[in-house]
Tab-separated table of all heavy atoms in Angstrom:
chain	number	residue	atom	x	y	z
A	996	PHE	N	-0.758	34.114	-0.008
A	996	PHE	CA	-1.270	33.938	-1.329
A	996	PHE	C	-0.106	33.815	-2.345
A	996	PHE	O	1.039	34.181	-2.011
A	996	PHE	CB	-2.221	35.109	-1.751
A	996	PHE	CG	-1.558	36.441	-1.790
A	996	PHE	CD1	-1.061	37.006	-3.009
A	996	PHE	CD2	-1.363	37.180	-0.653
A	996	PHE	CE1	-0.461	38.232	-3.045
A	996	PHE	CE2	-0.748	38.430	-0.644
A	996	PHE	CZ	-0.299	38.970	-1.856
A	997	GLY	N	-0.396	33.275	-3.525
A	997	GLY	CA	0.539	33.223	-4.643
A	997	GLY	C	-0.087	33.901	-5.811
A	997	GLY	O	-1.260	34.268	-5.777
A	998	CYS	N	0.669	34.116	-6.843
A	998	CYS	CA	0.161	34.842	-7.997
A	998	CYS	C	0.335	34.062	-9.264
A	998	CYS	O	1.225	33.188	-9.378
A	998	CYS	CB	0.857	36.214	-8.152
A	998	CYS	SG	0.511	37.325	-6.787
A	999	ILE	N	-0.501	34.371	-10.235
A	999	ILE	CA	-0.359	33.805	-11.594
A	999	ILE	C	-0.208	34.968	-12.562
A	999	ILE	O	-1.038	35.907	-12.526
A	999	ILE	CB	-1.555	32.918	-11.960
A	999	ILE	CG1	-1.482	31.602	-11.215
A	999	ILE	CG2	-1.572	32.659	-13.460
A	999	ILE	CD1	-2.593	30.633	-11.480
A	1000	THR	N	0.799	34.922	-13.357
A	1000	THR	CA	1.011	35.929	-14.408
A	1000	THR	C	0.968	35.224	-15.760
A	1000	THR	O	1.697	34.261	-15.998
A	1000	THR	CB	2.388	36.591	-14.189
A	1000	THR	OG1	2.319	37.403	-13.020
A	1000	THR	CG2	2.753	37.492	-15.374
A	1001	VAL	N	0.082	35.717	-16.629
A	1001	VAL	CA	-0.065	35.177	-17.940
A	1001	VAL	C	0.963	35.851	-18.883
A	1001	VAL	O	1.053	37.094	-18.938
A	1001	VAL	CB	-1.488	35.341	-18.503
A	1001	VAL	CG1	-1.592	34.909	-19.950
A	1001	VAL	CG2	-2.484	34.555	-17.624
A	1002	LEU	N	1.730	34.998	-19.564
A	1002	LEU	CA	2.754	35.526	-20.499
A	1002	LEU	C	2.113	35.958	-21.808
A	1002	LEU	O	1.440	35.103	-22.463
A	1002	LEU	CB	3.802	34.450	-20.825
A	1002	LEU	CG	5.028	34.269	-19.937
A	1002	LEU	CD1	5.923	33.284	-20.582
A	1002	LEU	CD2	5.737	35.593	-19.674
A	1003	THR	N	2.332	37.194	-22.220
A	1003	THR	CA	1.879	37.632	-23.535
A	1003	THR	C	2.965	38.445	-24.181
A	1003	THR	O	3.988	38.762	-23.521
A	1003	THR	CB	0.654	38.559	-23.413
A	1003	THR	OG1	1.055	39.758	-22.760
A	1003	THR	CG2	-0.454	37.894	-22.615
A	1004	LYS	N	2.779	38.796	-25.411
A	1004	LYS	CA	3.792	39.608	-26.116
A	1004	LYS	C	4.005	40.944	-25.326
A	1004	LYS	O	5.077	41.538	-25.447
A	1004	LYS	CB	3.225	39.918	-27.519
A	1004	LYS	CG	4.157	40.546	-28.448
A	1004	LYS	CD	5.043	39.578	-29.198
A	1004	LYS	CE	4.600	39.271	-30.604
A	1004	LYS	NZ	5.282	38.083	-31.130
A	1005	LEU	N	3.009	41.383	-24.600
A	1005	LEU	CA	3.075	42.727	-24.009
A	1005	LEU	C	3.842	42.732	-22.685
A	1005	LEU	O	4.347	43.754	-22.235
A	1005	LEU	CB	1.700	43.281	-23.774
A	1005	LEU	CG	0.832	43.377	-25.055
A	1005	LEU	CD1	-0.482	44.082	-24.776
A	1005	LEU	CD2	1.553	44.128	-26.131
A	1006	ASN	N	3.946	41.610	-21.984
A	1006	ASN	CA	4.774	41.580	-20.761
A	1006	ASN	C	6.090	40.817	-20.925
A	1006	ASN	O	6.913	40.857	-20.025
A	1006	ASN	CB	3.968	41.170	-19.538
A	1006	ASN	CG	3.431	39.738	-19.584
A	1006	ASN	OD1	3.755	39.028	-20.526
A	1006	ASN	ND2	2.629	39.370	-18.621
A	1007	LEU	N	6.291	40.180	-22.090
A	1007	LEU	CA	7.573	39.514	-22.295
A	1007	LEU	C	8.788	40.412	-22.110
A	1007	LEU	O	9.792	39.957	-21.582
A	1007	LEU	CB	7.600	38.918	-23.743
A	1007	LEU	CG	7.062	37.519	-24.010
A	1007	LEU	CD1	7.414	37.106	-25.408
A	1007	LEU	CD2	7.620	36.527	-22.978
A	1008	PRO	N	8.725	41.647	-22.577
A	1008	PRO	CA	9.911	42.528	-22.384
A	1008	PRO	C	10.177	42.839	-20.932
A	1008	PRO	O	11.184	43.481	-20.625
A	1008	PRO	CB	9.575	43.760	-23.189
A	1008	PRO	CG	8.423	43.437	-24.053
A	1008	PRO	CD	7.683	42.344	-23.325
A	1009	HIS	N	9.245	42.503	-20.047
A	1009	HIS	CA	9.389	42.942	-18.628
A	1009	HIS	C	9.668	41.765	-17.693
A	1009	HIS	O	9.347	41.888	-16.509
A	1009	HIS	CB	8.093	43.643	-18.203
A	1009	HIS	CG	7.777	44.829	-19.039
A	1009	HIS	ND1	8.443	46.051	-18.864
A	1009	HIS	CD2	6.939	44.987	-20.080
A	1009	HIS	CE1	7.990	46.912	-19.782
A	1009	HIS	NE2	7.092	46.327	-20.500
A	1010	LEU	N	10.241	40.704	-18.179
A	1010	LEU	CA	10.462	39.532	-17.344
A	1010	LEU	C	11.309	39.869	-16.121
A	1010	LEU	O	11.059	39.381	-15.002
A	1010	LEU	CB	11.145	38.400	-18.122
A	1010	LEU	CG	10.261	37.596	-19.075
A	1010	LEU	CD1	11.087	36.561	-19.773
A	1010	LEU	CD2	9.135	36.920	-18.276
A	1011	ARG	N	12.329	40.671	-16.309
A	1011	ARG	CA	13.202	41.033	-15.174
A	1011	ARG	C	12.423	41.751	-14.107
A	1011	ARG	O	12.486	41.387	-12.890
A	1011	ARG	CB	14.395	41.879	-15.684
A	1011	ARG	CG	15.275	42.451	-14.578
A	1011	ARG	CD	15.754	41.355	-13.611
A	1011	ARG	NE	17.046	40.772	-14.003
A	1011	ARG	CZ	17.631	39.801	-13.263
A	1011	ARG	NH1	17.063	39.324	-12.183
A	1011	ARG	NH2	18.781	39.326	-13.658
A	1012	GLU	N	11.610	42.719	-14.482
A	1012	GLU	CA	10.811	43.453	-13.511
A	1012	GLU	C	9.773	42.545	-12.817
A	1012	GLU	O	9.546	42.669	-11.626
A	1012	GLU	CB	10.075	44.625	-14.162
A	1012	GLU	CG	10.942	45.754	-14.617
A	1012	GLU	CD	10.935	45.904	-16.156
A	1012	GLU	OE1	11.249	44.925	-16.845
A	1012	GLU	OE2	10.571	46.964	-16.619
A	1013	ILE	N	9.207	41.625	-13.623
A	1013	ILE	CA	8.210	40.713	-13.054
A	1013	ILE	C	8.872	39.823	-11.994
A	1013	ILE	O	8.373	39.664	-10.859
A	1013	ILE	CB	7.550	39.862	-14.168
A	1013	ILE	CG1	6.704	40.752	-15.057
A	1013	ILE	CG2	6.759	38.698	-13.582
A	1013	ILE	CD1	6.195	40.103	-16.283
A	1014	TYR	N	10.032	39.276	-12.378
A	1014	TYR	CA	10.746	38.375	-11.410
A	1014	TYR	C	11.127	39.176	-10.139
A	1014	TYR	O	10.926	38.711	-9.031
A	1014	TYR	CB	12.019	37.856	-12.117
A	1014	TYR	CG	12.850	36.947	-11.248
A	1014	TYR	CD1	12.631	35.568	-11.253
A	1014	TYR	CD2	13.883	37.437	-10.442
A	1014	TYR	CE1	13.388	34.692	-10.499
A	1014	TYR	CE2	14.611	36.591	-9.651
A	1014	TYR	CZ	14.369	35.199	-9.710
A	1014	TYR	OH	15.129	34.374	-8.871
A	1015	ASN	N	11.661	40.376	-10.347
A	1015	ASN	CA	12.105	41.200	-9.190
A	1015	ASN	C	10.887	41.563	-8.318
A	1015	ASN	O	11.046	41.663	-7.087
A	1015	ASN	CB	12.826	42.441	-9.657
A	1015	ASN	CG	14.248	42.078	-10.127
A	1015	ASN	OD1	14.709	40.922	-9.915
A	1015	ASN	ND2	14.918	43.014	-10.727
A	1016	PHE	N	9.747	41.857	-8.923
A	1016	PHE	CA	8.587	42.224	-8.183
A	1016	PHE	C	8.215	41.116	-7.154
A	1016	PHE	O	8.112	41.350	-5.951
A	1016	PHE	CB	7.392	42.490	-9.093
A	1016	PHE	CG	6.074	42.686	-8.377
A	1016	PHE	CD1	5.744	43.913	-7.852
A	1016	PHE	CD2	5.228	41.614	-8.167
A	1016	PHE	CE1	4.534	44.102	-7.204
A	1016	PHE	CE2	4.017	41.815	-7.532
A	1016	PHE	CZ	3.664	43.043	-7.004
A	1017	TYR	N	8.133	39.894	-7.686
A	1017	TYR	CA	7.759	38.776	-6.820
A	1017	TYR	C	8.852	38.464	-5.784
A	1017	TYR	O	8.573	38.110	-4.646
A	1017	TYR	CB	7.400	37.523	-7.611
A	1017	TYR	CG	6.128	37.703	-8.392
A	1017	TYR	CD1	6.086	37.658	-9.775
A	1017	TYR	CD2	4.923	37.923	-7.744
A	1017	TYR	CE1	4.897	37.811	-10.491
A	1017	TYR	CE2	3.737	38.088	-8.424
A	1017	TYR	CZ	3.747	38.038	-9.813
A	1017	TYR	OH	2.535	38.241	-10.469
A	1018	ARG	N	10.075	38.599	-6.207
A	1018	ARG	CA	11.210	38.369	-5.302
A	1018	ARG	C	11.144	39.354	-4.124
A	1018	ARG	O	11.231	38.995	-2.947
A	1018	ARG	CB	12.478	38.558	-6.069
A	1018	ARG	CG	13.749	38.308	-5.280
A	1018	ARG	CD	14.956	38.637	-6.151
A	1018	ARG	NE	16.191	38.123	-5.628
A	1018	ARG	CZ	16.952	38.708	-4.738
A	1018	ARG	NH1	16.512	39.845	-4.206
A	1018	ARG	NH2	18.038	38.144	-4.301
A	1019	THR	N	10.952	40.638	-4.449
A	1019	THR	CA	10.872	41.681	-3.429
A	1019	THR	C	9.659	41.459	-2.499
A	1019	THR	O	9.754	41.669	-1.294
A	1019	THR	CB	10.788	43.098	-4.071
A	1019	THR	OG1	11.795	43.197	-5.017
A	1019	THR	CG2	10.869	44.160	-3.057
A	1020	MET	N	8.578	41.031	-3.077
A	1020	MET	CA	7.352	40.830	-2.260
A	1020	MET	C	7.388	39.505	-1.566
A	1020	MET	O	6.420	39.178	-0.826
A	1020	MET	CB	6.113	40.895	-3.207
A	1020	MET	CG	5.852	42.203	-3.896
A	1020	MET	SD	5.086	43.424	-2.818
A	1020	MET	CE	3.457	42.768	-2.693
A	1021	ASN	N	8.393	38.686	-1.850
A	1021	ASN	CA	8.467	37.354	-1.232
A	1021	ASN	C	7.274	36.513	-1.534
A	1021	ASN	O	6.648	35.880	-0.620
A	1021	ASN	CB	8.693	37.500	0.282
A	1021	ASN	CG	9.245	36.252	0.873
A	1021	ASN	OD1	9.779	35.373	0.155
A	1021	ASN	ND2	9.093	36.092	2.189
A	1022	LEU	N	6.867	36.529	-2.778
A	1022	LEU	CA	5.633	35.792	-3.226
A	1022	LEU	C	5.979	34.665	-4.183
A	1022	LEU	O	6.870	34.830	-5.037
A	1022	LEU	CB	4.699	36.733	-3.971
A	1022	LEU	CG	3.954	37.756	-3.130
A	1022	LEU	CD1	3.244	38.799	-4.019
A	1022	LEU	CD2	2.906	37.068	-2.241
A	1023	SER	N	5.303	33.572	-4.043
A	1023	SER	CA	5.376	32.471	-5.072
A	1023	SER	C	4.611	32.943	-6.305
A	1023	SER	O	3.572	33.605	-6.142
A	1023	SER	CB	4.713	31.228	-4.554
A	1023	SER	OG	5.351	30.726	-3.448
A	1024	PHE	N	5.094	32.594	-7.468
A	1024	PHE	CA	4.284	32.880	-8.666
A	1024	PHE	C	4.444	31.779	-9.716
A	1024	PHE	O	5.425	31.107	-9.774
A	1024	PHE	CB	4.591	34.280	-9.230
A	1024	PHE	CG	5.977	34.430	-9.881
A	1024	PHE	CD1	6.066	34.571	-11.240
A	1024	PHE	CD2	7.099	34.510	-9.124
A	1024	PHE	CE1	7.265	34.778	-11.886
A	1024	PHE	CE2	8.324	34.703	-9.740
A	1024	PHE	CZ	8.417	34.826	-11.102
A	1025	ARG	N	3.353	31.692	-10.509
A	1025	ARG	CA	3.343	30.763	-11.650
A	1025	ARG	C	3.271	31.590	-12.890
A	1025	ARG	O	2.506	32.571	-12.975
A	1025	ARG	CB	2.114	29.847	-11.543
A	1025	ARG	CG	1.963	28.953	-12.792
A	1025	ARG	CD	0.687	28.158	-12.725
A	1025	ARG	NE	0.722	27.055	-11.786
A	1025	ARG	CZ	1.232	25.864	-12.036
A	1025	ARG	NH1	1.765	25.569	-13.186
A	1025	ARG	NH2	1.216	24.912	-11.096
A	1026	VAL	N	4.074	31.255	-13.886
A	1026	VAL	CA	4.028	31.896	-15.152
A	1026	VAL	C	3.299	30.996	-16.099
A	1026	VAL	O	3.656	29.826	-16.242
A	1026	VAL	CB	5.481	32.151	-15.716
A	1026	VAL	CG1	5.436	32.822	-17.049
A	1026	VAL	CG2	6.233	32.998	-14.722
A	1027	LEU	N	2.275	31.512	-16.700
A	1027	LEU	CA	1.364	30.701	-17.527
A	1027	LEU	C	1.305	31.252	-18.932
A	1027	LEU	O	0.855	32.383	-19.108
A	1027	LEU	CB	-0.014	30.784	-16.853
A	1027	LEU	CG	-1.069	29.741	-17.207
A	1027	LEU	CD1	-0.648	28.371	-16.649
A	1027	LEU	CD2	-2.385	30.159	-16.641
A	1028	PRO	N	1.687	30.474	-19.935
A	1028	PRO	CA	1.547	30.974	-21.301
A	1028	PRO	C	0.059	31.095	-21.654
A	1028	PRO	O	-0.784	30.446	-21.044
A	1028	PRO	CB	2.183	29.869	-22.143
A	1028	PRO	CG	3.033	29.082	-21.200
A	1028	PRO	CD	2.357	29.185	-19.868
A	1029	LEU	N	-0.267	31.935	-22.599
A	1029	LEU	CA	-1.638	32.133	-23.041
A	1029	LEU	C	-2.343	30.797	-23.339
A	1029	LEU	O	-1.743	29.950	-24.023
A	1029	LEU	CB	-1.673	32.905	-24.349
A	1029	LEU	CG	-1.767	34.426	-24.290
A	1029	LEU	CD1	-1.800	34.971	-25.730
A	1029	LEU	CD2	-2.953	34.905	-23.515
A	1030	PHE	N	-3.562	30.621	-22.827
A	1030	PHE	CA	-4.330	29.467	-23.197
A	1030	PHE	C	-5.149	29.789	-24.450
A	1030	PHE	O	-5.255	30.976	-24.825
A	1030	PHE	CB	-5.260	29.145	-21.992
A	1030	PHE	CG	-5.871	27.774	-22.009
A	1030	PHE	CD1	-5.051	26.677	-21.764
A	1030	PHE	CD2	-7.218	27.590	-22.188
A	1030	PHE	CE1	-5.598	25.417	-21.751
A	1030	PHE	CE2	-7.767	26.327	-22.193
A	1030	PHE	CZ	-6.970	25.222	-21.959
A	1031	LYS	N	-5.745	28.763	-25.059
A	1031	LYS	CA	-6.543	29.024	-26.282
A	1031	LYS	C	-7.661	30.054	-25.944
A	1031	LYS	O	-8.201	30.095	-24.846
A	1031	LYS	CB	-7.132	27.736	-26.793
A	1031	LYS	CG	-8.059	27.032	-25.819
A	1031	LYS	CD	-8.470	25.641	-26.287
A	1031	LYS	CE	-9.237	24.936	-25.225
A	1031	LYS	NZ	-9.606	23.552	-25.588
A	1032	GLY	N	-7.979	30.893	-26.950
A	1032	GLY	CA	-8.948	31.953	-26.703
A	1032	GLY	C	-10.396	31.477	-26.835
A	1032	GLY	O	-10.726	30.352	-27.145
A	1033	SER	N	-11.294	32.426	-26.639
A	1033	SER	CA	-12.727	32.169	-26.678
A	1033	SER	C	-13.254	32.233	-28.117
A	1033	SER	O	-14.308	31.729	-28.442
A	1033	SER	CB	-13.419	33.146	-25.753
A	1033	SER	OG	-14.724	33.309	-26.015
A	1034	PHE	N	-12.514	33.007	-28.960
A	1034	PHE	CA	-12.942	33.143	-30.388
A	1034	PHE	C	-11.717	33.410	-31.245
A	1034	PHE	O	-10.622	33.814	-30.724
A	1034	PHE	CB	-13.970	34.261	-30.540
A	1034	PHE	CG	-13.527	35.609	-29.975
A	1034	PHE	CD1	-12.781	36.479	-30.769
A	1034	PHE	CD2	-13.829	35.962	-28.664
A	1034	PHE	CE1	-12.341	37.684	-30.255
A	1034	PHE	CE2	-13.387	37.183	-28.147
A	1034	PHE	CZ	-12.664	38.044	-28.925
A	1035	ASP	N	-11.864	33.142	-32.540
A	1035	ASP	CA	-10.701	33.361	-33.464
A	1035	ASP	C	-10.233	34.839	-33.426
A	1035	ASP	O	-11.053	35.734	-33.440
A	1035	ASP	CB	-11.125	33.002	-34.889
A	1035	ASP	CG	-11.248	31.521	-35.089
A	1035	ASP	OD1	-10.765	30.768	-34.198
A	1035	ASP	OD2	-11.790	31.072	-36.128
A	1036	GLY	N	-8.929	34.970	-33.433
A	1036	GLY	CA	-8.352	36.356	-33.483
A	1036	GLY	C	-8.343	37.040	-32.160
A	1036	GLY	O	-7.914	38.196	-32.025
A	1037	GLN	N	-8.815	36.399	-31.079
A	1037	GLN	CA	-8.882	37.078	-29.764
A	1037	GLN	C	-7.513	37.545	-29.302
A	1037	GLN	O	-7.403	38.572	-28.651
A	1037	GLN	CB	-9.505	36.125	-28.725
A	1037	GLN	CG	-9.683	36.837	-27.362
A	1037	GLN	CD	-10.332	35.910	-26.321
A	1037	GLN	OE1	-10.607	34.726	-26.630
A	1037	GLN	NE2	-10.487	36.407	-25.099
A	1038	HIS	N	-6.492	36.779	-29.631
A	1038	HIS	CA	-5.149	37.100	-29.070
A	1038	HIS	C	-4.318	37.934	-30.040
A	1038	HIS	O	-3.112	38.122	-29.788
A	1038	HIS	CB	-4.432	35.784	-28.704
A	1038	HIS	CG	-5.054	35.066	-27.603
A	1038	HIS	ND1	-4.780	33.720	-27.399
A	1038	HIS	CD2	-5.957	35.424	-26.695
A	1038	HIS	CE1	-5.514	33.324	-26.348
A	1038	HIS	NE2	-6.228	34.312	-25.929
A	1039	GLN	N	-4.958	38.429	-31.080
A	1039	GLN	CA	-4.165	39.190	-32.095
A	1039	GLN	C	-3.515	40.376	-31.408
A	1039	GLN	O	-4.201	41.125	-30.694
A	1039	GLN	CB	-5.150	39.650	-33.209
A	1039	GLN	CG	-4.412	39.955	-34.426
A	1039	GLN	CD	-5.399	40.370	-35.556
A	1039	GLN	OE1	-6.579	40.367	-35.387
A	1039	GLN	NE2	-4.814	40.683	-36.675
A	1040	GLY	N	-2.254	40.503	-31.651
A	1040	GLY	CA	-1.527	41.678	-31.094
A	1040	GLY	C	-0.761	41.341	-29.827
A	1040	GLY	O	0.169	42.040	-29.436
Side-chain angles (χ1 to χ4, degrees):
F996 62 97
C998 294
I999 287 182
T1000 291
V1001 173
L1002 271 188
T1003 68
K1004 188 85 102 194
L1005 303 185
N1006 61 7
L1007 271 188
H1009 301 282
L1010 281 179
R1011 174 52 92 181
E1012 291 115 301
I1013 291 170
Y1014 181 90
N1015 285 350
F1016 172 83
Y1017 290 118
R1018 182 186 195 275
T1019 307
M1020 296 281 287
N1021 198 18
L1022 286 171
S1023 297
F1024 71 108
R1025 175 184 286 275
V1026 180
L1027 197 70
L1029 269 182
F1030 197 69
K1031 61 188 172 184
S1033 159
F1034 54 87
D1035 285 348
Q1037 184 180 358
H1038 295 162
Q1039 202 177 358

